[in-house]
Amino acid sequence: MAQVVDTSKFYPGIKILWQEGMWEVVEFQHHKMGRGGAVVKTKLRNLDTGSIIENAFRSGEKFDRIVFEEKPAQFLYQDGDSYVFMDMVSYDQIYLSTEVLGKAIKYLTDNLEVTLEMYGERIMGIELPNSVTLKIIETSPNFKGDTASGGGKPATTETGLTVTVPMFVEVGEDIVVDTRTGAYLERAKK
């Protein structure tokens, strides 16, 4: 379930074992000191508590990387504070909290197929597809002279996500959004 990685293999989203806990690297930056060795400054999120800390590691320091087992699932609906998924193999319903899902809740639409990340029998989170289609429910209107190459405007999607879209996008349109960056990609094909 774990493989050894050093700080040169860090990327946002990698999960490691450190100080008897499971941590996700949120941000990292390599710093070369004048005389000494390089250090890697990181921002880490505890997978159990959700708390975020900053820490510096020596360059080349080794960690056990957590590799999750993957289980296909489909998002069904929201039930109060829980989000209900269906296991695509056993067809069991799985209830997940907002703490487990984190920012992923802004991309969940009915019948979206995701991958559950399992560590033993425990669900640690979900992996979203690289892009999702969302409907615009609120944005400012177009004005004469707005061009496709001009700036952008904020738009709110059906899930509550705010995205910067081109000026020509209107309320009611479906757009494709990158789930890794939260950026507008294109209008959805009809």
Side-chain angles (χ1 to χ4, degrees), residues 153-169:
K153 61 183 179 178
T156 305
T157 67
E158 61 191 310
T159 61
L161 179 70
T162 301
V163 181
T164 300
V165 298
M167 294 295 198
F168 57 80
V169 174

Side-chain angles (χ1 to χ4, degrees), residues 19 39 43 53 73 78 85 92 98 104 111 122 132-133 139 141-142 144 149 164 179-181:
Q19 291 187 341
V39 295
K43 198 177 271 190
I53 64 165
Q78 183 179 356
F85 293 82
D92 291 337
T98 54
N111 303 319
R122 189 169 155 209
V132 294
T133 301
T139 190
N142 291 343
K144 188 171 183 174
S149 63
T164 300
T179 59
R180 298 163 294 190
T181 62

